[in-house]
């Protein structure tokens, strides 16, 4: 069933918030914003039991527009804040939105350790392959050779493969899509939220203002077309597309999450307390 | 804050004025370390969450919590570093739990940015810094009092902060209870500045029964979500909602308006700044705690804190034996200083000495407040050895 746009917006976005957003017109962040809202709605989760947490960056501004509990933390530390929130309120769906610099450079250590704990959080990484907010410097996800405001001669670093890293670090669910593939993004977020352990959804996104402009993929539409032409879904059209960026669900495994394990710790500790008293 | 004299327990800032029969057998005698006292007090204050990273000389705190907290269904988590530790504590506090972390110099440095977040977003959290010697890795198990200014100004930008400094195991217990009470009452981070000696020293204390101790909790909103302003300027400390209660408001480290949304409006920024300073200024008489020792007729005054205050008191005794009229003030609150009190207590003295185990930190504020009317001298040490009471006495001869 197709929702009517206006009531949907009134129900899910904050009426007292100033629109338009702080983002450049056409920024991919908007697509991720609406995908998150639709996924929460589809799952029918009570808004009071959703907390959106973010770090610092253009992506960090996303939660402020959504009518759930929202926490805009410090650069790189969103997952650590979210860990505390989730442990204090295990019944809360805690969704963390981060940029590629936010989650992989300054927050890289928290990212791998959150995955290692497989704690029951959903992380959405908006990978625009650049530092948007600070003016287009290269990030750990910037492709080799790309131009940025701090790599005028071409980036010499190799980029992280976010999804692979999440997988080896221990995340229970890992998926990748792009802002061109809106329905897919929504579906992956939905699955990620439903999954019990740590879920990572990487969304390739367009920062036409910096990445696009400096790398000759000028407008938002050109970047969206780039995502359409240069990615392939891992389940269907692998053959002949091996050199394209893979989209799809890469990991979907049932490993016990941190909170589930911690409940066992409590049981053991209580037993010991009982015996030590008698 | 008034000091009460409670039967058996002695001078107290945490035990209620109770008229019912108080029995000695209600108190639990304990021969414990300062770090342990911290743990016992935090549990009594109803700590719900501890997130930390091991570092000497604070590690016992984490070890004890890792055993104790799960026994009561509370959370202990060892995070990947001190940045994550403080961040997880702030997150847990947003989730409604009283939270705490403990560390020493190197970790305290890493925590600074996020302590600022707790100031900005007005989230209660307690941070224990068991001071060790030197910058960088320094000397892990040597005492020092070198983090006085870092505790005051460690995070960037103008901000008020509350820093408590215990000088004994009993005070470690009391300051921890009070740290939680103040954090909750003022919606602010509170730093407990302990040191290696206080943390590891064993002393006998009497742990008061839970019912005797005043425990405060954050004020929660009663209004409807639509009219709730998490950062209202109508009161010094607006009530703090817990996520999940239906308020669904925004929390940010950006300067914000009364609803919590980012602002660049100069009036809104000024109002926020005025309020967060006002909540400290209006409560200064409660926040600022000190003990006086023979100051009434003193011509010489030693102002000190933590472990050094014990040396200062010993120096007073030695001076009095020689017929020198000396007195001491032990500061239990380092920041904010009650400048009115300091100015009045130093007035008319021949000399004021500030013994502290550093190269001069608190002394500069005492000098500033004295406005040159009274000479103020520093006695310090930075080799991991406590200040000799005779060195303090020498300073006035
Ligand atoms: C500790 C710290 N260092 C640096 C910054 C400055 N800073 C703000 S956002 C940002 C990078 C943003 O890039 P990314 O995380 O990829 O998010 P985007 O803006 O692209 O969404 C940086 C370096 C900061 N806020 N805090
Ligand atoms: S700078 Fe880039 S990432 Fe930031 S809002 Fe503009 S397009 Fe989006």
């Amino acid at each position: 069933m197709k929702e009517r746009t206006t009531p949907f917006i009134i129900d899910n976005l904050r009426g007292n918030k100033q629109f338009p957003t702080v983002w450049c017109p056409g920024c991919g962040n908007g697509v991720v914003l609406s995908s998150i809202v639709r996924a929460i709605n589809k799952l029918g989760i009570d808004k009071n039991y959703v907390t959106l947490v973010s770090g610092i960056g253009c992506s960090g501004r996303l939660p402020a527009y959504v009518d759930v509990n929202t926490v805009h933390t410090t650069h790189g530390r969103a997952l650590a804040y979210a860990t505390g929130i989730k442990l204090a309120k295990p019944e809360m769906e805690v969704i963390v939105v981060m940029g590629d610099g936010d989650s992989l450079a300054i927050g890289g250590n928290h990212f791998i350790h959150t995955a290692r704990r497989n704690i029951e959080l959903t992380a959405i990484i908006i990978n625009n392959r650049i530092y948007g907010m600070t003016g287009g410097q290269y990030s750990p996800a910037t492709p080799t050779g790309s131009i940025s405001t701090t790599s005028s001669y071409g980036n010499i670093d190799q980029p992280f493969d976010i999804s692979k890293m999440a997988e080896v670090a221990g995340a229970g669910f890992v998926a990748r899509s792009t802002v061109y593939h809106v329905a897919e993004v929504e579906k992956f977020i939905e699955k990620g939220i439903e999954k019990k352990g740590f879920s990572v959804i990487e969304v390739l996104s367009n920062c036409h203002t910096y990445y696009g402009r400096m790398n000759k993929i000028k407008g938002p539409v050109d970047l969206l077309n780039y995502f359409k032409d240069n990615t392939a879904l891992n389940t269907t059209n692998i053959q002949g597309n091996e050199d394209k960026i893979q989209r799809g669900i890469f990991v979907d495994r049932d490993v016990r999450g941190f909170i589930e394990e911690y409940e066992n710790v409590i049981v053991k500790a209580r037993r010991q307390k009982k015996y030590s008293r008698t | 804050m008034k000091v009460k004299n409670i039967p058996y327990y002695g001078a107290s800032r945490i035990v209620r004025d109770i008229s019912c029969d108080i029995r000695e057998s209600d108190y639990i005698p304990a021969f414990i370390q300062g770090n342990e006292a911290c743990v016992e007090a935090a549990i009594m204050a109803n700590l719900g969450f501890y997130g930390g990273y091991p570092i000497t000389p604070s590690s016992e705190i984490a070890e004890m919590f890792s055993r104790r907290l799960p026994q009561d269904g509370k959370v202990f988590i060892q995070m990947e570093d001190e940045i994550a530790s403080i961040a997880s504590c702030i997150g847990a506090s947003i989730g409604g739990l009283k939270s705490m972390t403990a560390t020493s110099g190197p970790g305290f440095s890493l925590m600074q940015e996020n302590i600022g977040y707790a100031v900005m977003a007005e989230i209660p959290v307690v941070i224990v810094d068991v001071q060790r010697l030197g910058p960088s890795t320094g000397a892990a198990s040597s005492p020092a009092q070198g983090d006085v200014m870092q505790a005051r100004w460690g995070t960037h930008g103008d901000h008020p902060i509350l820093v408590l400094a215990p000088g004994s195991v009993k005070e470690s217990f009391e300051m921890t209870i009070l740290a939680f009470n103040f954090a909750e009452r003022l919606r602010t981070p509170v730093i407990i500045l302990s040191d290696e000696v206080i943390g590891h020293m064993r002393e006998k204390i009497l742990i008061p029964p839970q019912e005797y101790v005043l425990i405060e909790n954050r004020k929660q909103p009663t209004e409807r979500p639509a009219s709730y302003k998490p950062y209202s300027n109508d009161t010094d400390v607006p009530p703090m909602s817990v996520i999940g209660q239906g308020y669904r408001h925004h929390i940010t480290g950006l300067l914000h308006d009364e609803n919590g949304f980012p602002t660049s409006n100069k009036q809104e920024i000024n109002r926020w700044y005025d309020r967060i300073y006002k909540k400290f200024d209006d409560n200064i008489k409660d926040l600022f705690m000190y003990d006086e020792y023979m100051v009434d007729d003193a011509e010489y005054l030693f102002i000190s804190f933590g472990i050094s205050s014990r040396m200062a008191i010993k120096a007073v005794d030695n001076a009095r034996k020689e017929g020198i009229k000396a007195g001491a003030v032990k500061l239990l609150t380092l920041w904010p200083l009650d400048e009115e009190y300091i100015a009045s207590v130093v007035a008319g003295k021949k000399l004021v000495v500030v013994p502290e185990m550093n190269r001069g930190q608190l002394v500069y504020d005492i000098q500033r407040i004295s406005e040159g009317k009274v000479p103020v001298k520093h006695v310090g040490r930075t080799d991991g050895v406590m200040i000799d009471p005779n060195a303090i006495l020498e300073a006035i001869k």
Side-chain angles (χ1 to χ4, degrees):
Chain A
M1 199 185 77
K2 204 168 159 278
E3 319 91 332
R4 280 191 27 242
T5 317
T6 321
F8 185 74
I9 287 176
I10 292 172
D11 279 352
N12 296 290
L13 299 183
R14 281 179 168 146
N16 53 354
K17 193 66 199 118
Q18 293 282 309
F19 285 92
T21 65
V22 294
W23 301 318
C24 311
C27 173
N29 288 344
V31 172
V32 181
L33 166 66
S34 54
S35 303
I36 292 173
V37 169
R38 278 197 304 271
I40 293 171
N41 252 267
K42 218 159 177 188
L43 292 170
I45 313 168
D46 181 342
K47 287 194 274 192
N48 293 321
Y49 287 91
V50 178
T51 300
L52 260 185
V53 184
S54 67
I56 299 292
C58 296
S59 47
R61 298 302 190 98
L62 188 150
Y65 301 105
V66 189
D67 185 21
V68 294
N69 306 287
T70 55
V71 189
H72 179 215
T73 70
T74 50
H75 193 31
R77 319 301 171 196
L79 285 170
Y81 278 84
T83 296
I85 293 172
K86 182 72 185 179
L87 283 164
K89 281 255 175 274
E91 69 276 25
M92 184 75 64
E93 280 307 336
V94 182
I95 303 168
V96 189
V97 182
M98 297 170 287
D100 44 312
D102 199 35
S103 61
L104 298 179
I106 191 162
N109 200 32
H110 307 308
F111 181 67
I112 54 179
H113 287 280
T114 310
R116 177 179 61 80
R117 283 184 201 109
N118 193 33
I119 186 164
E120 292 84 338
L121 301 170
T122 304
I124 299 166
I125 299 180
I126 305 181
N127 180 7
N128 57 12
R129 303 176 295 173
I130 201 91
Y131 285 180
M133 177 139 274
T134 38
Q137 300 82 3
Y138 67 89
S139 87
T142 304
T144 311
S146 288
I147 307 297
S148 75
T149 51
T150 47
S151 61
S152 318
Y153 307 108
N155 179 27
I156 57 172
D157 289 2
Q158 2 169 8
F160 269 138
D161 184 324
I162 301 176
S163 292
K164 273 203 183 122
M165 191 158 74
E167 177 177 355
V168 295
F173 180 89
V174 183
R176 179 195 289 138
S177 188
T178 87
V179 288
Y180 175 82
H181 305 87
V182 188
E184 214 172 83
V185 173
E186 189 183 319
K187 193 177 79 194
F188 291 169
I189 294 177
E190 218 182 292
K191 288 203 167 192
I193 294 174
E194 277 187 311
K195 190 79 195 174
K196 267 183 155 180
F198 184 53
S199 308
V200 179
I201 299 106
E202 174 190 353
V203 186
L204 282 163
S205 180
N206 60 301
C207 173
H208 45 282
T209 303
Y210 293 112
Y211 188 84
R213 187 170 46 81
M214 286 184 285
N215 292 284
K216 311 217 157 39
I217 323 175
K218 287 242 162 59
V221 177
D222 301 319
L223 268 159
L224 289 176
N225 281 329
Y226 172 90
F227 291 138
K228 184 181 89 181
D229 299 338
N230 292 282
T231 64
L233 197 60
N234 63 350
T235 47
T236 50
N237 51 356
I238 275 284
Q239 261 169 18
N241 286 324
E242 290 86 353
D243 52 345
K244 289 190 177 172
I245 300 170
Q246 301 287 305
R247 304 193 320 274
I249 295 170
F250 306 120
V251 180
D252 188 353
R253 57 188 167 197
D254 289 312
V255 200
R256 289 172 67 83
F258 185 88
I259 291 185
E260 224 179 328
E261 288 291 350
Y262 194 78
E263 277 159 13
N264 285 339
V265 172
I266 291 176
V267 171
K268 277 190 200 162
R270 284 206 159 124
R271 210 178 286 146
Q272 236 190 43
K273 187 183 182 184
K274 209 167 115 196
Y275 287 130
S276 63
R277 273 195 176 159
T278 49
Chain B
M1 173 181 274
K2 275 237 177 69
V3 184
K4 296 172 200 124
N5 256 310
I6 306 289
Y8 312 114
Y9 186 82
S12 170
R13 289 179 169 84
I14 57 165
V15 175
R16 304 162 189 264
D17 264 327
I18 24 182
S19 48
C20 63
D21 279 346
I22 300 175
R23 283 168 312 179
E24 192 175 1
S25 57
D26 288 344
Y27 292 87
I28 302 166
F31 183 62
I32 54 174
Q33 294 184 325
N35 281 348
E36 260 177 293
C38 223
V39 170
E40 295 300 337
I43 288 171
M44 191 176 281
N46 198 20
L47 178 80
F49 182 96
Y50 180 93
Y53 189 81
I55 185 168
T56 307
S58 77
S59 301
E60 297 82 10
I61 296 180
E63 289 164 4
M64 284 181 272
F65 277 133
S66 77
R67 285 190 295 273
R68 294 285 298 278
L69 290 178
Q71 294 182 343
D72 298 332
K74 309 282 175 61
V75 184
F76 168 87
I77 185 167
Q78 182 168 310
M79 295 301 285
E80 53 274 19
D81 59 28
E82 287 86 349
I83 303 176
S85 301
I86 178 81
S88 68
C89 286
I90 298 170
S93 188
I94 289 170
L97 299 183
K98 288 187 181 176
S99 65
M100 176 187 217
T101 185
T103 187
S104 186
F108 193 47
S109 292
L110 288 182
M111 287 180 186
Q112 294 304 331
E113 185 197 3
N114 290 283
I115 292 175
Y117 185 89
V119 171
M120 179 61 90
E122 298 178 76
I123 313 290
V125 60
V126 174
I127 303 121
V128 184
D129 173 17
V130 189
Q131 294 169 98
R132 57 198 245 171
L133 178 63
S136 186
T137 312
S141 44
S142 295
Q145 296 177 309
D147 302 350
V148 176
M149 283 299 169
Q150 187 186 24
R152 175 63 193 92
W153 292 114
T155 198
H156 57 276
D158 289 295
H159 63 281
I161 194 92
L162 180 59
V163 181
L164 307 180
S168 66
V169 173
K170 183 186 175 201
E171 283 166 9
S172 293
F173 189 89
E174 296 209 327
M175 291 303 122
T176 305
I177 296 275
L178 290 169
F180 282 102
N181 285 353
F182 287 136
E184 295 286 312
R185 198 194 302 172
L186 297 185
R187 286 184 65 176
T188 183
V190 177
I191 294 161
I192 299 174
L193 209 55
S194 174
D195 63 67
E196 192 275 335
V197 183
I198 302 292
H200 285 160
M201 177 174 64
R202 278 177 197 278
E203 287 181 311
K204 186 188 164 186
I205 64 166
L206 288 175
I207 298 179
Q210 174 102 46
E211 318 80 84
Y212 290 6
V213 178
L214 182 75
I215 303 293
E216 293 180 43
N217 294 304
R218 63 195 71 169
K219 211 165 47 182
Q220 292 191 3
T222 49
E223 57 264 60
R224 284 178 310 111
S227 46
Y228 173 56
K229 288 187 179 147
Y231 299 96
S232 166
N233 290 319
D234 297 340
T235 159
D236 286 3
V237 188
M240 180 175 167
S241 82
V242 174
I243 50 168
Q245 286 178 330
Y247 289 94
R248 299 196 305 272
H249 66 83
H250 191 53
I251 300 175
T252 178
L254 287 165
L255 280 158
H256 43 267
D257 62 20
E258 289 182 294
N259 290 312
F261 291 122
T263 183
S264 49
N265 178 306
K266 290 178 187 48
Q267 276 180 335
E268 281 172 349
I269 291 172
N270 277 320
R271 278 202 291 269
W272 177 81
Y273 248 124
D274 290 346
R275 180 171 60 75
I276 64 155
Y277 270 89
K278 192 164 175 286
K279 68 183 179 185
F280 280 70
D281 295 344
D282 286 359
N283 291 294
I284 186 75
K285 297 293 170 200
D286 265 347
L287 298 178
F288 184 71
M289 298 177 288
Y290 60 94
D291 281 338
E292 291 183 344
Y293 186 66
M294 306 191 109
V295 295
D296 289 349
D297 64 340
E299 295 172 342
Y300 299 94
L301 187 68
F302 311 141
I303 301 181
S304 194
F305 62 94
I307 186 65
S308 297
S309 62
R310 298 167 80 119
M311 310 305 143
I313 285 164
K314 182 76 185 152
V316 170
D317 288 342
N318 292 352
R320 293 273 168 174
K321 271 184 212 148
E322 293 183 24
I324 303 168
K325 287 183 176 168
V329 171
K330 169 169 66 179
L331 303 183
L332 289 159
T333 304
L334 278 182
W335 310 111
L337 290 174
D338 180 353
E339 304 204 358
E340 212 177 83
Y341 167 76
I342 304 274
S344 72
V345 77
V346 301
K349 301 287 178 289
K350 285 188 179 157
L351 178 67
V352 173
V353 179
V354 181
E356 44 179 342
M357 289 182 71
N358 54 41
R359 292 269 164 159
Q361 297 200 24
L362 178 68
V363 65
Y364 295 122
D365 264 62
I366 306 295
Q367 273 169 354
R368 177 178 61 76
I369 297 164
S370 306
E371 293 179 328
K373 292 176 194 151
V374 185
V376 180
K377 243 192 196 174
H378 177 253
V379 171
R381 227 183 146 141
T382 46
D383 55 0
V385 181
M386 279 175 279
I387 295 168
D388 186 340
N390 289 325
I392 302 172
L393 200 51
E394 279 307 306
I396 61 172
K397 283 185 176 167

